[in-house]
């Protein structure tokens, strides 16, 4: 499990977008908005992802976002 103090980082070789979880883009509503946008772009089922993201606390939401979009987006603390 990812602890609350752990940094989620991936090497940014391809200049993937970075979301700073400590800034305004790191709040739950912003992450859900990004998930909706990226779901449309990647033809993912947003309703299913949204349910999974909102089925736990903030850390669960972040982990779920990373699970679905981590190959494309870098989350950073």
């Amino acid at each position: 499990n990812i602890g609350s103090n752990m940094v989620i980082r991936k090497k940014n070789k391809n200049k993937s977008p970075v979301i700073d979880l400590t800034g305004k883009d790191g709040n739950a509503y912003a992450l859900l908005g990004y998930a909706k946008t990226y779901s449309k772009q990647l033809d993912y089922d947003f309703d299913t992802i949204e349910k999974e993201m909102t089925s736990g606390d903030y850390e669960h939401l972040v982990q779920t976002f990373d699970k679905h979009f981590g190959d494309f987006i870098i989350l950073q603390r």
Side-chain angles (χ1 to χ4, degrees), residues 2-10 19-23 25-32 35 49-50 52-71 73-77:
I2 297 173
S4 61
N5 294 327
M6 187 171 193
V7 176
I8 300 171
R9 288 192 185 160
K10 294 182 173 40
I19 297 174
D20 180 0
L21 295 177
T22 65
D25 290 337
N27 74 63
Y29 295 108
L31 289 173
L32 285 164
I49 293 171
E50 179 184 32
E52 184 180 354
M53 287 177 73
T54 58
S55 68
D57 62 8
Y58 176 77
E59 288 303 318
H60 175 78
L61 182 135
V62 170
Q63 290 174 20
T64 304
F65 184 96
D66 192 51
K67 176 178 113 178
H68 291 284
F69 306 106
D71 289 343
I73 311 298
I74 297 169
L75 299 177
Q76 183 172 307
R77 292 182 195 219

Side-chain angles (χ1 to χ4, degrees), residues 9-51:
R9 288 192 185 160
K10 294 182 173 40
K11 293 186 179 185
N12 200 3
K13 292 179 184 176
N14 297 327
K15 300 297 180 193
S16 299
V18 176
I19 297 174
D20 180 0
L21 295 177
T22 65
K24 63 180 172 63
D25 290 337
N27 74 63
Y29 295 108
L31 289 173
L32 285 164
Y34 282 120
K36 186 173 188 175
T37 299
Y38 294 130
S39 291
K40 286 180 184 178
Q41 292 175 359
L42 298 166
D43 200 27
Y44 290 176
D45 179 6
F46 173 69
D47 292 335
T48 301
I49 293 171
E50 179 184 32
K51 285 179 186 171

